[in-house]
């Protein structure tokens, strides 16, 4: 029996942050703003625009405030700022983000490497930040990173991810994201993990974040949608990587994902041709081909009618 598929799925464009952060070419502010404007023109309504972290740690994101300053507020559009601590939250709020995202890693080793704290300490920080976001009238969301496997600790037990999801849910996020940070997940694992998180947290929307490192990204995206994920992260062109996993490739390419969903009859509200144009533009900006498949192969007539 084929799974019941939703009529629509929300796409969160993470190219300007997760993508560009891990590219060797650092784009100037004007090009980053242009990138975001192009994504919005294609119909994307949530964009992860920058991370508000120490510029010493992530030099490519040192201009986060400058990027936000270049964007105009639009109704129905959310500019997401990634934060790791209260200081980052205060910066994202001051810069005008309408949504903040935070990540906690499913293993202590990865969390220590990324955030210099245990997973439990980062969960405590998240709960404080989430409360501050609610008080400020902006949307908090949380990602459980390395939920499908860790480069340091190996396999991650589903029970551990469910336990973390349950604890971060106390911050009343708009959704909980499960991230395959290093691209090791497979569809059966996606089905199981989403099923267990949804069982533990009825009514909590689940988003997924996949990297295509081992070419399972789109298969995982299909499994996620079939298992009830309501939103997926993707990056135009599939740009990006992971500084902790040298061989890691980028996120699933937004245009490849939108193509697949459109031909399956799942609406995203995104104009595929506009995405392809942006992907080609991005290749020029980065001075190299992007990993996505559709930008090389082109679309197919059946995918044009996107609602
Ligand atoms: Zn990522």
């Amino acid at each position: 029996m084929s799974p019941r598929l939703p009529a629509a799925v929300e796409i969160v464009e993470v190219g300007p942050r997760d993508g560009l952060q891990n590219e060797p070419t650092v784009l100037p502010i004007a090009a980053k703003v242009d990138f975001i404007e192009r994504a919005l023109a294609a119909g994307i309504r949530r964009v992860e625009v920058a991370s508000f972290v120490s510029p010493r740690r992530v030099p490519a994101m040192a201009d986060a405030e400058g990027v936000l300053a270049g964007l105009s507020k639009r109704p129905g559009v959310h500019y997401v700022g990634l934060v790791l601590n209260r200081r980052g939250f205060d910066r994202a709020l001051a810069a005008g983000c309408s949504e903040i995202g935070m990540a906690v890693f499913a293993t202590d080793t990865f969390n220590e490497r990324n955030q210099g704290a245990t997973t439990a300490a980062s969960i405590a920080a998240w709960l404080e930040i989430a409360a501050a976001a609610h008080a400020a009238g902006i949307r908090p969301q949380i990602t459980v990173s390395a939920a499908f496997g860790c480069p340091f600790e190996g396999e991650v037990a589903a029970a551990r991810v469910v336990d973390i999801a349950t604890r971060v849910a106390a911050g009343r996020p708009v959704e909980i994201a499960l991230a395959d940070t290093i691209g090791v997940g497979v569809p059966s694992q996606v089905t199981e993990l989403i099923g267990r998180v949804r069982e533990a947290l009825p009514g909590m929307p689940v988003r997924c974040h996949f990297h295509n490192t081992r070419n399972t990204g789109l298969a995982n995206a299909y499994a996620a949608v079939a298992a009830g994920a309501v939103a997926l992260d993707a990056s135009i062109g599939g740009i990006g990587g992971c500084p902790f996993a040298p061989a890691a490739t980028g996120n699933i390419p937004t245009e490849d994902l939108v193509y697949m969903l459109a031909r399956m009859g799942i609406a995203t509200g995104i104009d595929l041709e506009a995405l392809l144009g942006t992907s080609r533009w991005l290749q020029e900006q980065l001075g190299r081909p992007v990993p996505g498949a559709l930008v090389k192969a082109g679309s197919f007539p059946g995918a044009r009618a996107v609602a």
Side-chain angles (χ1 to χ4, degrees):
M1 199 183 82
S2 56
R4 265 183 297 143
L5 295 169
V9 167
E10 184 181 31
I11 306 293
V12 181
E13 174 61 37
V14 299
R17 202 287 303 170
D18 204 7
L20 291 183
Q21 179 172 317
N22 298 307
E23 283 289 327
T25 307
V26 177
L27 297 188
I29 290 179
K32 289 182 177 178
V33 170
D34 199 356
F35 184 17
I36 295 161
E37 296 279 0
R38 284 166 186 267
L40 297 176
I44 286 165
R45 287 294 165 264
R46 276 172 89 188
V47 186
E48 200 177 75
V49 292
S51 62
F52 292 85
V53 295
S54 162
R56 270 179 292 109
R57 277 181 64 94
V58 189
M61 291 286 127
D63 53 7
E65 276 85 357
V67 172
L68 265 296
L71 296 166
S72 55
K73 281 197 176 17
R74 291 178 176 81
V77 167
H78 287 290
Y79 298 129
V80 184
L82 190 78
V83 307
L84 297 178
N85 51 36
R86 182 58 198 247
R87 182 172 148 65
F89 169 79
D90 290 338
R91 284 178 58 200
L93 181 65
C97 290
S98 57
E99 180 176 321
I100 57 100
M102 187 172 160
V104 297
F105 286 77
T107 64
D108 280 320
T109 311
F110 207 166
N111 207 81
E112 296 264 11
R113 297 261 188 147
N114 189 269
Q115 307 191 6
T118 61
T119 303
S122 285
I123 291 172
W126 148 254
L127 293 174
E128 189 206 326
I129 287 166
H134 285 296
I138 66 171
R139 300 167 15 132
Q141 41 106 330
I142 181 77
T143 294
V144 184
S145 293
F148 298 88
C150 170
F152 310 108
E153 296 190 23
E155 295 285 355
V156 173
R160 177 155 175 85
V161 177
V162 171
D163 175 57
I164 293 169
T166 306
R167 285 190 279 157
V168 296
R172 295 185 293 120
V174 287
E175 78 217 341
I176 292 176
L178 303 174
D180 187 9
T181 311
I182 57 165
V184 291
V186 295
S188 52
Q189 195 181 8
V190 173
T191 305
E192 192 206 342
L193 197 55
I194 293 178
R196 289 184 61 167
V197 168
R198 292 185 71 208
E199 195 177 81
L201 296 165
M204 174 63 74
V206 173
R207 193 177 89 240
C208 282
H209 177 102
F210 296 119
H211 281 262
N212 201 32
T213 315
R214 289 167 181 81
N215 224 12
T216 55
L218 276 190
N220 289 342
Y222 171 74
V225 169
V230 296
L232 293 168
D233 288 354
S235 71
I236 292 172
I239 59 166
C242 174
F244 296 90
T249 54
N251 303 98
I252 50 175
T254 311
E255 61 271 28
D256 295 10
L257 176 63
V258 167
Y259 169 84
M260 180 182 81
L261 295 173
R263 293 207 68 210
M264 290 170 68
I266 300 172
T268 58
I270 298 171
D271 179 335
L272 189 53
E273 291 303 323
L275 278 186
L276 278 167
T278 303
S279 198
R280 285 189 287 266
W281 171 87
L282 201 50
Q283 297 192 123
E284 289 165 21
Q285 300 299 312
L286 296 173
R288 68 170 185 90
V290 294
L294 215 69
V295 72
K296 301 179 190 79
S299 188
F300 182 75
R304 289 191 69 97
V306 241

